[in-house]
Amino acid sequence: MERINCPLCGNENIHYEGTMKYIDLLNGIGDEEYRQRICSCPTCNMAWSQNTMNIEDLNNYYKFLSKYESMDAAMESDYSSQAMYLRQKEFIDNIVEDYRSVLEIGAATGGNLNLYKEAGKRVVGIEPSSNNKRFAEKNYGIKLYDMTLDEYYDEYGCQEQYDIVFISHVLEHIVNFVEFMQKAVALSGKYIFIELPILEQIINEEAPFAAFTNEHVNYFSIASLRRLMERCGCSLIKYTIAENKGGVLPGYPTLMSIWGGAAPTVR
């Protein structure tokens, strides 16, 4: 039998949850030829797909084929998206005040960053889709790097840091999430904001792990996200559970959190 280690803590006592039919997040259809192998770790309490698409195919998907690559104005006019942007900014502003710059990884079409730009912050985004880059520059005057975080890091390293690195509904899409977060943290001068679906909220008795898709390849609990961030040298400042109302957003509650490296100034 194949030995599977937890990608976060290395635990070998893995629970193999079995296979489930692939679910396409965009069209809501399955592919009988591809069944995901879902595993979970009882030590750090996270779950992941063992047989994801390869990294090159995933990167191309987000650059050219995903729903995020073609949302354009539809996403920016969606009430649930705007409500989420405002909710996240209020959460941040109620906790920290000493930030002047924001880097968003997975910036979509720039609507979230525009809130911070209007508040006088310097904003930059990393976003795989060139279409989204053009939309953000045309409609908001915001600079996006149309590349993955790996590509950005390979070209620019961490020569420039930002007071807040903003990561919203991205981490559940990342296969090599430890390396991803290490690079993201290296770009942060003070804080890291993370929002993601929380494992405790997506599991139900009728369809456990049904939220796995071609895009959503892992799910964190509060405990496993804390383990990941501490592994990257970060400490939790505050978290809360946020409600979402559907639209282009998931209908289930999500975990909203902010983390610090050294000893940030907080209210």
Side-chain angles (χ1 to χ4, degrees):
M1 180 179 292
E2 177 187 2
R3 174 174 291 180
I4 299 174
N5 293 359
C6 173
L8 178 56
C9 71
N11 174 35
E12 296 181 0
N13 183 29
I14 296 303
H15 291 171
Y16 177 52
E17 307 292 348
T19 63
M20 61 173 291
K21 187 170 69 172
Y22 157 90
I23 300 173
D24 185 284
L25 193 61
L26 177 59
N27 297 312
I29 59 175
D31 182 348
E32 296 293 347
E33 301 300 319
Y34 172 47
R35 299 185 69 85
Q36 290 181 303
R37 300 176 61 194
I38 308 302
C39 300
S40 67
C41 177
T43 298
C44 65
N45 192 23
M46 72 167 296
W48 68 94
S49 173
Q50 183 64 19
N51 59 326
T52 64
M53 296 167 61
N54 68 58
I55 302 298
E56 183 177 357
D57 287 344
L58 276 172
N59 287 343
N60 286 332
Y61 173 77
Y62 288 117
K63 289 181 179 183
F64 306 114
L65 299 173
S66 78
K67 73 176 187 292
Y68 304 103
E69 198 273 332
S70 58
M71 274 186 166
D72 296 331
M75 182 172 183
E76 302 311 334
S77 63
D78 181 81
Y79 174 79
S80 63
S81 294
Q82 294 297 324
M84 179 180 70
Y85 300 155
L86 291 169
R87 165 175 57 73
Q88 292 172 337
K89 188 173 185 300
E90 181 181 16
F91 175 77
I92 291 172
D93 289 343
N94 285 338
I95 299 170
V96 302
E97 56 184 355
D98 55 330
Y99 75 99
R100 297 182 179 178
S101 58
V102 179
L103 169 69
E104 182 170 13
I105 301 174
T109 47
N112 176 60
L113 281 177
N114 191 51
L115 284 180
Y116 298 88
K117 178 185 177 183
E118 290 179 341
K121 313 298 182 182
R122 182 172 66 89
V123 300
V124 176
I126 298 174
E127 163 59 40
S129 166
S130 296
N131 281 346
N132 287 346
K133 173 185 177 178
R134 288 188 288 270
F135 185 94
E137 291 180 346
K138 177 182 178 181
N139 291 276
Y140 303 122
I142 291 175
K143 179 179 181 179
L144 301 187
Y145 292 89
D146 53 341
M147 54 182 62
T148 66
L149 176 60
D150 285 340
E151 291 168 340
Y152 177 92
Y153 204 85
D154 287 344
E155 184 165 346
Y156 301 104
C158 55
Q159 58 187 355
E160 186 170 8
Q161 293 184 318
Y162 301 84
D163 291 340
I164 292 181
V165 170
F166 193 102
I167 305 170
S168 176
H169 293 275
V170 170
L171 197 53
E172 65 270 24
H173 297 254
I174 305 300
V175 176
N176 299 323
F177 55 83
V178 175
E179 180 182 354
F180 175 91
M181 280 310 310
Q182 288 171 337
K183 291 178 178 178
V185 169
L187 294 170
S188 170
K190 294 180 180 179
Y191 308 105
I192 303 95
F193 172 87
I194 300 174
E195 179 167 331
L196 41 63
I198 183 170
L199 182 63
E200 290 91 337
Q201 297 289 347
I202 67 163
I203 298 178
N204 64 73
E205 294 181 1
E206 294 182 0
F209 304 110
F212 276 91
T213 68
N214 61 318
E215 294 186 1
H216 288 194
V217 298
N218 59 63
Y219 284 95
F220 291 86
S221 63
I222 296 170
S224 55
L225 182 61
R226 185 193 292 267
R227 182 184 285 260
L228 170 62
M229 296 305 290
E230 289 179 349
R231 180 171 173 177
C232 295
C234 297
S235 57
L236 177 64
I237 296 175
K238 186 174 182 179
Y239 79 85
T240 189
I241 305 301
E243 296 292 333
N244 290 302
K245 302 302 181 183
V248 300
L249 298 179
Y252 42 78
T254 53
L255 175 67
M256 185 165 53
S257 60
I258 191 160
W259 308 75
T265 301
V266 300
R267 289 179 177 174

